[in-house]
Amino acid sequence: MKLGIRVLVLIFLFFPGYIWAQQAVRGTVTDAATQQPLSYATVVLLGGAQPVGAGSDSAGNFVINGVAPGRYDLQVSMTGYETYIIKELTVSSAREVVLSVALRESAYNLKEVTVRAGVNKEQPINRMATVSARMLSVEEASRYAGGFDDPARLASAFAGVSSNVGSNGIVVRGNAPKSLQWKMEGVEIPNPNHFADLASFGGGGLTALSSQMLANSDFFTGAFPAEYSNALSGVFDIFMRTGNTQKREHTFQLGAIGIDASSEGPFVKGGKSSYLFNYRYSTLALLAPVLPDNAGGVRYQDLSFKLNFPTKKAGTFSLWGIGLQDYSGADVQKDTLLMKYVSDREEQKVNQYMGATGLTHKLLLKNGAYLRTTLAATVSGLDMKTSRLDNTLILLPQNRVENTYTNLVLNSFINKRFGARHTNRTGIILTGLTYNQQIKDALSPGVLTDIVNSSGSSALLAAYSQSSVHLTEKLSANAGVTGQVFTLNGRYTIEPRIGLRYQLSDEQSLGVAYGLHSRLERLNFYFIQLPASGSEFVNKDLDFTKASHVVLSYDRRLSKNVHLKIEPWYQDLFNVAVVAGTPISLINLQSDFFFAERLENTGKGQNYGIDVTLEKYMSHGYYAMFTGSIFSSRYTGGDGIWRDTRFHRSYVFNLLGGKEWQKGRTGANVLGLNARVSYQGGERYTPVNYAASATAGDVVYNDANTFGSQFSPAFVVHLTASYKINRKAVAHTIALKVINATMYPEFEGFKYNYLTGSIDETRQALIVPNISYKIEF
């Protein structure tokens, strides 16, 4: 057995890889505003021995055949349009590269020679975003250390974002993860993470969307365009790619955390319709020795798909979907002499599921317009049962959560270009909300009392209009307004958004943006019932939590492959839900299903800071990126006193880098090493009142100093090593990915130790290694 493993390793490390096939790079070129195909565009592949190119045909399609495996830049240009450059394009022997390139029409054709070329990594896909937007590429999701093929974990490396090892909850500019909106194919979806909301509302273990499915997507951290409503801190706007229409391609991956299989291709050879799907199943049993207690029994699986059906005259239809199912739990400590904490006396079983599916239709209209409509249904559910041993070692019910949420969503907009200088997008988002919620907690031993017990339906209705206008050759504006109403209580909000960008030169620009943003609280909070209130829903009249965002931006291309962005920002939060007369504010809420308090919208918050990104794109076999954020995050609770929030880490710094070496007789194989170093301020916490805790036999906090203390800074390193062999029509990759290689012990909380009568500060040094083998064919 050992000999066989050694032979396998030697094959992967030293196989010359001289039998490899050249591959095709194909795609479609369209007008960014109208989505109409562009013919006669010039497409040039740069980075090989010599540039090779092609032109787009009458349908906007292009193909470059005979491309050797490696990394390239792709440049697309056309008279009357801004040149567009796609950086870090990866070509392997097993898969064709299929691209969609949208060119923006030059507003000043007479001086088009001076128009700076757009680089895809510098610009979001949504061109109506002025500031605080980052395009997340498919290639980055699979390459960056610490990403673990998870877009949410990858986003934690971006400026303005902080996170933890144990959860992929995204803290954007000092805001709780629950303030972030997840969108898929233009529709808001429930939290798409495995083990969602257990450790952090808005976070989880890893997302259900594999990087195999991911198309280039946008990540917003402030002052986002008017089409994004019901989002307070940021938006993760995710899109699935379309399957290859020319050939069938497959991927299978086997790793320490499970299996991953995907397939794509045309339904009928020679047809234009295509399919794409991915399935993952995971059990952490193999990693049990390095994971927390009870984690070895964790299981999860997910499925995602996209079916694409272009027609000649009726437009393009896409049927897409994503779903996940999770199981986790904990057992009672069998040895009574080792029952130190309350959690040792508890048994817990958790089943979760989430799904979203939709039908999207895009129809090209005359006169520079197109209509995009999506009808989607989403569902999420949680069944969590917890029991606890009493003093006689009898297992009694402690709490119960049975929640099911089903939404029906209609999202439709028309995008119209009024000449080269003005484009408008106007749309509606109608969301029907159906809920069945049961949350019970034991206020006395073994007797469960309703906190939430409601079922019914409501709606969130939104409409918006936004325009992008070139005011002069150097000055452009993005402006719009969005409005939404929550029919449960009649609360509504109207929110202006505006951004200006001034092009100082071909290499640098200034931007400024303002936006008013808002978000509903979790639905269960609207239906809290208190013992003294009987059947009354004490929080049914809760308003939207709101925030005004102001962002400045300085953007500079220092060289062909080096880019700098600096963004000072300020956020003023108001209408925040708080508990009167206390420091409690939902602005700090991390995860508490059994929260049961009367709320009022009198709280405030104030976040401000500066984000810096300095990035060197992949060239000469290496890349590097530095992101840094210095910020403050403060709030007032129901007592009106200003304090630091839970998420006020003060600073976050990330350094990412990687190097690739071409191996094999022809250089077709690739050895890659990637690392990410993260250094951020320690977590905020409320100090313990030790005297009161000793008297109570439980943890009692000093609420007067809520989040007034801070742990030492956190230093975390993530590593990735991979070796890829490109052979004829097939590629093999063996990889090792390690999260938290430095074994930083993350704070879990304070617990009362029944054996010693003391308060323990509990930490977990969670390290997640995953060795995997992937074959593409």
Side-chain angles (χ1 to χ4, degrees):
M1 180 65 179
K2 292 182 178 179
L3 178 61
I5 294 175
R6 291 172 182 171
V7 170
L8 179 62
V9 171
L10 288 173
I11 289 174
F12 274 100
L13 290 179
F14 301 110
F15 187 84
Y18 56 85
I19 306 175
W20 52 270
Q22 294 178 328
Q23 197 52 270
V25 175
R26 66 174 71 250
T28 304
V29 183
T30 59
D31 184 293
T34 68
Q35 299 291 292
Q36 293 284 350
L38 296 178
S39 54
Y40 307 113
T42 300
V43 184
V44 180
L45 198 65
L46 306 171
Q50 59 184 12
V52 293
S56 61
D57 60 20
S58 59
N61 298 319
F62 69 88
V63 59
I64 302 175
N65 291 307
V67 181
R71 287 195 181 274
Y72 300 88
D73 292 343
L74 187 81
Q75 178 177 292
V76 184
S77 59
M78 182 174 175
T79 301
Y81 287 82
E82 298 179 15
T83 298
Y84 191 64
I85 300 173
I86 298 177
K87 305 290 290 186
E88 302 177 354
L89 192 67
T90 303
V91 178
S92 76
S93 63
R95 306 175 69 90
E96 292 187 338
V97 178
V98 183
L99 303 169
S100 295
V101 181
L103 297 184
R104 179 185 291 183
E105 186 176 7
S106 172
Y108 297 89
N109 290 330
L110 293 178
K111 297 184 179 181
E112 64 183 354
V113 175
T114 66
V115 176
R116 101 173 191 176
V119 176
N120 69 316
K121 290 176 67 68
E122 297 173 8
Q123 302 175 352
I125 297 170
N126 190 325
R127 301 296 180 87
M128 292 192 180
T130 309
V131 299
S132 299
R134 163 91 189 204
M135 190 273 289
L136 175 72
S137 75
V138 184
E139 198 272 338
E140 289 173 335
S142 59
R143 170 163 51 96
Y144 283 177
F148 228 61
D149 294 329
D150 179 1
R153 290 190 179 273
L154 174 60
S156 68
F158 296 158
V161 179
S162 56
S163 65
N164 294 322
V165 174
S167 169
N168 68 355
I170 302 173
V171 177
V172 178
R173 291 177 172 172
N175 293 281
K178 68 183 181 68
S179 301
L180 179 82
Q181 183 188 77
W182 291 88
K183 300 193 79 169
M184 177 170 287
E185 297 293 318
V187 172
E188 181 174 3
I189 61 173
N191 184 342
N193 289 300
H194 289 287
F195 315 108
D197 301 332
L198 296 183
S200 171
F201 288 151
L206 73 163
T207 57
L209 184 66
S210 166
S211 61
Q212 301 284 352
M213 299 289 298
L214 189 68
N216 290 345
S217 303
D218 280 338
F219 181 67
F220 300 91
T221 56
F224 21 93
E227 66 186 89
Y228 300 105
S229 55
N230 197 36
L232 192 68
S233 66
V235 180
F236 213 143
D237 196 6
I238 295 174
F239 290 90
M240 293 183 183
R241 64 186 180 87
T242 300
N244 195 332
T245 60
Q246 301 299 311
K247 59 182 291 191
R248 292 190 174 96
E249 298 170 331
H250 318 282
T251 301
F252 179 80
Q253 180 171 291
L254 176 64
I257 64 172
I259 61 172
D260 190 327
S262 68
S263 180
E264 65 179 290
F267 284 103
V268 179
K269 195 169 183 178
K272 295 183 179 181
S273 298
S274 66
Y275 70 88
L276 171 66
F277 80 87
N278 189 90
Y279 172 75
R280 293 189 298 186
Y281 177 83
S282 179
T283 174
L284 301 184
L286 294 176
L287 297 179
V290 297
L291 295 178
D293 293 341
N294 294 303
V298 168
R299 302 186 302 273
Y300 64 88
Q301 58 184 328
D302 57 63
L303 173 69
S304 48
F305 67 89
K306 184 175 182 180
L307 314 178
N308 199 60
F309 304 98
T311 67
K312 289 184 178 181
K313 295 183 179 181
T316 299
F317 295 85
S318 296
L319 180 65
W320 53 270
I322 184 172
L324 66 84
Q325 188 176 47
D326 303 330
Y327 170 80
S328 60
D331 296 324
V332 172
Q333 170 60 250
K334 295 180 180 180
D335 188 343
T336 57
L337 297 178
L338 297 178
M339 290 182 178
K340 293 193 297 183
Y341 309 124
V342 167
S343 57
D344 294 329
R345 307 171 69 94
E346 290 183 341
E347 176 185 87
Q348 188 176 74
K349 306 297 181 186
V350 183
N351 288 282
Q352 294 176 271
Y353 59 89
M354 170 268 174
T357 185
L359 179 65
T360 299
H361 177 230
K362 184 171 73 173
L363 180 64
L364 303 184
L365 305 174
K366 296 180 180 179
N367 302 319
Y370 71 92
L371 177 68
R372 190 177 190 273
T373 302
T374 299
L375 180 64
T378 72
V379 64
S380 62
L382 170 64
D383 185 356
M384 180 169 67
K385 302 176 184 178
T386 306
S387 301
R388 182 181 297 172
L389 292 175
D390 66 5
N391 292 333
T392 62
L393 301 183
I394 296 176
L395 203 59
L396 300 176
Q398 179 61 30
N399 54 58
R400 180 74 187 268
V401 179
E402 287 184 281
N403 290 344
T404 302
Y405 302 99
T406 305
N407 296 346
L408 186 64
V409 185
L410 174 65
N411 184 333
S412 183
F413 68 80
I414 185 168
N415 199 92
K416 167 70 175 174
R417 183 178 66 188
F418 298 94
R421 297 173 59 180
H422 179 203
T423 299
N424 176 269
R425 179 176 294 179
T426 299
I428 58 171
I429 306 171
L430 311 179
T431 305
L433 311 169
T434 303
Y435 46 87
N436 190 343
Q437 309 172 101
Q438 281 196 337
I439 302 177
K440 303 174 184 288
D441 197 15
L443 302 184
S444 59
V447 180
L448 295 180
T449 302
D450 284 339
I451 294 176
V452 175
N453 187 353
S454 67
S455 60
S457 60
S458 185
L460 179 63
L461 312 176
Y464 64 89
S465 184
Q466 58 189 23
S467 286
S468 179
V469 182
H470 287 270
L471 300 174
T472 69
E473 181 179 359
K474 294 187 175 182
L475 181 64
S476 61
N478 294 309
V481 63
T482 186
Q484 53 183 343
V485 59
F486 186 32
T487 63
L488 178 72
N489 55 21
R491 295 288 187 172
Y492 70 91
T493 176
I494 298 175
E495 303 165 4
R497 316 279 174 86
I498 186 168
L500 297 172
R501 177 166 295 277
Y502 185 78
Q503 200 71 38
L504 295 171
S505 67
D506 291 348
E507 307 301 330
Q508 56 184 331
S509 64
L510 289 174
V512 59
Y514 165 81
L516 177 61
H517 307 276
S518 65
R519 185 163 176 83
L520 292 176
E521 293 298 340
R522 294 174 59 87
L523 266 183
N524 58 287
F525 294 148
Y526 292 86
F527 296 96
I528 288 175
Q529 297 168 271
L530 302 177
S533 67
S535 60
E536 178 192 2
F537 300 133
V538 298
N539 297 323
K540 190 173 181 179
D541 199 42
L542 270 183
D543 202 352
F544 294 86
T545 299
K546 301 179 180 181
S548 293
H549 293 191
V550 178
V551 183
L552 302 177
S553 178
Y554 175 69
D555 196 293
R556 177 156 190 169
R557 190 183 302 171
L558 299 177
S559 69
K560 183 175 68 173
N561 292 307
V562 181
H563 176 239
L564 172 68
K565 176 177 281 190
I566 303 173
E567 289 195 335
W569 51 270
Y570 175 82
Q571 298 177 354
D572 178 51
L573 290 84
F574 57 100
N575 267 30
V576 179
V578 298
V579 177
T582 75
I584 298 174
S585 169
L586 294 194
I587 211 170
N588 294 307
L589 189 66
Q590 190 168 30
S591 177
D592 186 359
F593 287 98
F594 308 103
F595 177 88
E597 300 282 354
R598 185 186 297 270
L599 296 164
E600 60 182 32
N601 291 106
T602 58
K604 298 179 182 179
Q606 187 182 77
N607 303 332
Y608 58 88
I610 184 169
D611 298 341
V612 177
T613 300
L614 178 62
E615 184 172 10
K616 190 267 182 187
Y617 306 137
M618 176 71 80
S619 63
H620 305 293
Y622 76 98
Y623 71 94
M625 181 171 75
F626 167 81
T627 63
S629 301
I630 300 174
F631 65 96
S632 173
S633 178
R634 294 176 60 78
Y635 83 103
T636 64
D639 57 5
I641 299 174
W642 282 97
R643 296 179 173 88
D644 293 324
T645 72
R646 175 193 293 272
F647 307 103
H648 176 58
R649 288 183 179 266
S650 299
Y651 56 87
V652 180
F653 302 110
N654 290 285
L655 181 62
L656 294 83
K659 172 66 176 174
E660 292 182 346
W661 293 268
Q662 306 299 313
K663 296 295 182 178
R665 189 170 301 177
T666 61
N669 301 337
V670 182
L671 173 64
L673 297 177
N674 301 275
R676 172 185 164 191
V677 177
S678 176
Y679 185 74
Q680 58 184 353
E683 291 185 84
R684 291 277 171 179
Y685 68 96
T686 301
V688 173
N689 185 329
Y690 288 95
S693 298
T695 302
D698 198 359
V699 179
V700 178
Y701 293 95
N702 180 6
D703 290 334
N705 195 21
T706 298
F707 300 117
S709 297
Q710 186 176 22
F711 290 114
S712 300
F715 178 77
V716 180
V717 175
H718 309 299
L719 300 173
T720 297
S722 64
Y723 189 73
K724 185 168 188 174
I725 298 174
N726 285 294
R727 301 185 66 184
K728 186 176 182 180
V730 64
H732 309 267
T733 303
I734 187 169
L736 174 63
K737 300 181 179 181
V738 181
I739 289 181
N740 194 18
T742 47
M743 296 190 68
Y744 169 74
E746 208 160 55
F747 175 65
E748 291 187 325
F750 293 104
K751 294 182 179 181
Y752 185 83
N753 189 324
Y754 289 99
L755 300 181
T756 63
S758 61
I759 303 297
D760 293 348
E761 177 188 316
T762 60
R763 290 181 172 272
Q764 180 69 51
L766 178 67
I767 180 172
V768 185
N770 183 33
I771 185 169
S772 64
Y773 165 71
K774 180 169 69 174
I775 181 171
E776 301 169 277
F777 57 99

